[in-house]
Amino acid sequence: MTRRQRAVRAAFVALAVGLGWGIRGNFGHQLGAMVPGALLAMSFAYVSGQDRMFRLMPALAFVGALTMSLGGTMSYGTLHGYAKSPSFVNYTYGYFTLFLCGAVWGGPCGAGIGLLLESKPTKLREWAGAVWATILWGLITFAVVVSCFGFHINPPRSDISVAFVGGMIGLFVWLHKRGKWFGLKGALWGAVGFGLSMTLSRLLGNASYMVPFIQDNWKVMEIGCGMIGGFILSYALLGKEVQYDELPPWAAGASYVGLFFVMVGIPVLHWIQRMPRKDTIEKVVNKKDLLVADRGALIDTLQNAMLGLQIVAVVGALIWLVLHVRNKVKGFRFPILIFALILLLTSNIRSVWPLIGIGEAGFQVQAAFCVIYLLMIVFMLFPRPRPVVEPEWASDSPHVVKAVLASVLIFAFMIAANAPIDRLAGRYGKLRSDGTRSKPSDGSNDRFPLAGHMD
């Protein structure tokens, strides 16, 4: 597979995951993180060009959603505050811990996808072994780092990310010892891809302060994180040939559960947990410049629209089930587009878009989501990519040296670029009412209060 072919296909995955990660930010935690995880796995299956991937798509989407959701347990907002600090020690620490945090988001997801695509199907006891090794290493790491040495990664927030980093190391060890080379490659590039994406997108968010008009720098970070991570991971994994048509019976059964969980369960849970009627009332009441006269009627309309989306989700799941059972690969596009559309509209409804004022940052965010979705449709208007596979020795090679070098070089660039970006934002950023300009360090945090500040 040529670099151009990889890049074009990975660009579609980047769009899907960028949309999913942006939507994730509107809902948060484990539930929100399931959206980019499912879209990553589904879009990767599509751009592989292999018909056999269609049979695996429900299982891939299920595993992608569950493994990506794990990162939603962590608290990482304070780490972004460190990366916005004008202090060299603090922003270096912030970028480093963000890399670790992003690695824990993407590593398990990459490993899960990789294990599903191993040349020999991964057995149930092997899945259990991977989970057990991850949990054990996580507990030991937390006990040593936090309980024994008393190190807190982002006080006063939770230290659970320390356990997740330890668990990620344990997963690497288990994959290597068991000879799960494509799973190891997925874990490595998932960790590197989303580690770099979390840090690079923070740098983009900092740079966005220089834009002299209304925008949401946090959303710049979130969409950028999904796009960069999705691109790197899919670029690295493309070329693996799927060598079997059917999953083991236990996995086939789980994939049917996964099909309904992804297409129906995720939208329903978003409605129940994140958009109850009282939440909709609060959203509508608090919007001062809402472009509607009867707000009571709007609340009813929004709730009915959410109910309608759940009906669409059920119908979509049934259609996907028929396509899956009959192996109708011509329907490859359907699950991706309908799932992304349901969650896009869910995000629109929660934001009361487009009835909010066009001058609000939230308006531009939801409009950006729609543009990304339209770009996904444009990509799918072209013929489905043809399968381009590599020999097993090439597709399974993790390219550890490349991963390490890329991480070190890009990290060094970010550290060098952060302080100049903060100074430029202070000079050219958006003017505030007091005549000063906004810049990243205005909302920064310090992990090490005694560190000197750079002018």
Side-chain angles (χ1 to χ4, degrees), residues 13-353:
V13 181
L15 288 172
V17 185
L19 174 62
W21 203 281
I23 292 172
R24 180 213 66 83
N26 286 354
F27 299 95
H29 305 296
Q30 299 94 325
L31 178 58
M34 290 180 180
V35 180
L39 284 173
L40 169 59
M42 296 164 78
S43 57
F44 175 77
Y46 178 77
V47 298
S48 73
Q50 301 178 59
D51 289 350
R52 287 173 175 171
M53 280 285 206
F54 184 68
R55 296 289 294 171
L56 296 177
M57 186 185 278
L60 285 166
F62 192 29
V63 169
L66 292 181
T67 51
M68 189 67 82
S69 74
L70 299 175
T73 309
M74 298 182 294
S75 170
Y76 72 109
T78 303
L79 303 181
H80 282 277
Y82 299 150
K84 296 167 70 175
S85 173
S87 160
F88 175 81
V89 172
N90 281 296
Y91 74 67
T92 300
Y93 174 82
Y95 279 114
F96 178 71
T97 50
L98 280 175
F99 179 90
L100 295 178
C101 189
V104 174
W105 280 95
C109 188
I113 292 172
L115 284 173
L116 274 174
L117 301 180
E118 285 282 351
S119 300
K120 294 182 180 179
T122 304
K123 298 177 181 179
L124 179 58
R125 66 173 181 270
E126 291 176 319
W127 284 99
V131 172
W132 171 243
T134 302
I135 293 174
L136 182 61
W137 275 72
L139 291 175
I140 293 173
T141 303
F142 187 88
V144 172
V145 175
V146 179
S147 301
C148 293
F149 289 97
F151 176 79
H152 302 287
I153 190 170
N154 57 347
R157 298 286 186 91
S158 169
D159 291 311
I160 196 171
S161 53
V162 175
F164 275 72
V165 172
M168 189 70 239
I169 296 171
L171 181 58
F172 277 125
V173 173
W174 185 91
L175 291 167
H176 184 269
K177 284 190 171 183
R178 296 301 185 277
K180 300 295 183 182
W181 304 119
F182 197 67
L184 180 62
K185 183 176 184 177
L188 173 64
W189 285 99
V192 169
F194 280 90
L196 290 176
S197 74
M198 185 70 76
T199 49
L200 277 170
S201 62
R202 178 64 268 158
L203 189 68
L204 288 174
N206 288 356
S208 71
Y209 278 82
M210 290 186 285
V211 178
F213 52 79
I214 295 175
Q215 45 80 30
D216 188 336
N217 77 86
W218 192 259
K219 281 300 178 186
V220 171
M221 181 278 297
E222 288 179 336
I223 296 173
C225 182
M227 285 189 168
I228 297 169
F231 182 90
I232 294 175
L233 177 56
S234 57
Y235 187 94
L237 297 191
L238 280 167
K240 176 69 173 180
E241 182 179 10
V242 180
Q243 299 181 5
Y244 50 89
D245 292 303
E246 297 293 339
L247 291 167
W250 67 268
S255 69
Y256 285 105
V257 175
L259 186 154
F260 281 95
F261 176 79
V262 169
M263 190 63 77
V264 180
I266 293 177
V268 168
L269 288 173
H270 274 76
W271 184 27
I272 294 174
Q273 294 189 13
R274 298 288 189 265
M275 299 178 63
R277 186 176 181 85
K278 63 178 182 179
D279 178 82
T280 303
I281 293 173
E282 182 179 346
K283 290 281 183 183
V284 172
V285 169
N286 290 339
K287 295 288 184 183
K288 296 180 180 179
D289 300 324
L290 203 58
L291 305 177
V292 65
D294 190 343
R295 300 198 175 204
L298 176 61
I299 292 170
D300 292 335
T301 300
L302 294 177
Q303 285 292 297
N304 290 334
M306 283 306 304
L307 176 60
L309 279 181
Q310 312 318 307
I311 296 172
V312 172
V314 172
V315 174
L318 293 175
I319 294 174
W320 187 10
L321 177 64
V322 173
L323 294 172
H324 175 73
V325 171
R326 297 184 178 181
N327 199 25
K328 297 291 186 180
V329 295
K330 290 184 178 180
F332 224 136
R333 299 171 176 83
F334 175 79
I336 303 171
L337 289 179
I338 196 68
F339 176 74
L341 179 61
I342 290 170
L343 271 300
L344 169 63
L345 293 176
T346 299
S347 178
N348 292 160
I349 292 171
R350 189 170 196 262
S351 301
V352 202
W353 185 86

Side-chain angles (χ1 to χ4, degrees), residues 372-448:
I372 294 173
Y373 183 76
L374 290 175
L375 290 175
M376 291 173 61
I377 293 176
V378 169
F379 185 96
M380 287 190 165
L381 290 176
F382 292 92
R384 187 161 64 93
R386 295 181 178 181
V388 180
V389 298
E390 300 173 340
E392 186 174 326
W393 63 267
S395 64
D396 286 5
S397 177
H399 301 294
V400 176
V401 175
K402 288 183 179 179
V404 173
L405 284 177
S407 300
V408 171
L409 291 174
I410 295 175
F411 190 82
F413 162 76
M414 290 184 293
I415 298 304
N418 189 75
I421 284 175
D422 188 63
R423 288 195 292 267
L424 287 171
R427 183 178 299 177
Y428 301 109
K430 182 177 177 293
L431 276 172
R432 293 180 293 203
S433 57
D434 60 0
T436 61
R437 296 186 181 273
S438 60
K439 56 183 179 178
S441 56
D442 293 336
S444 66
N445 300 317
D446 282 349
R447 176 66 178 84
F448 304 102

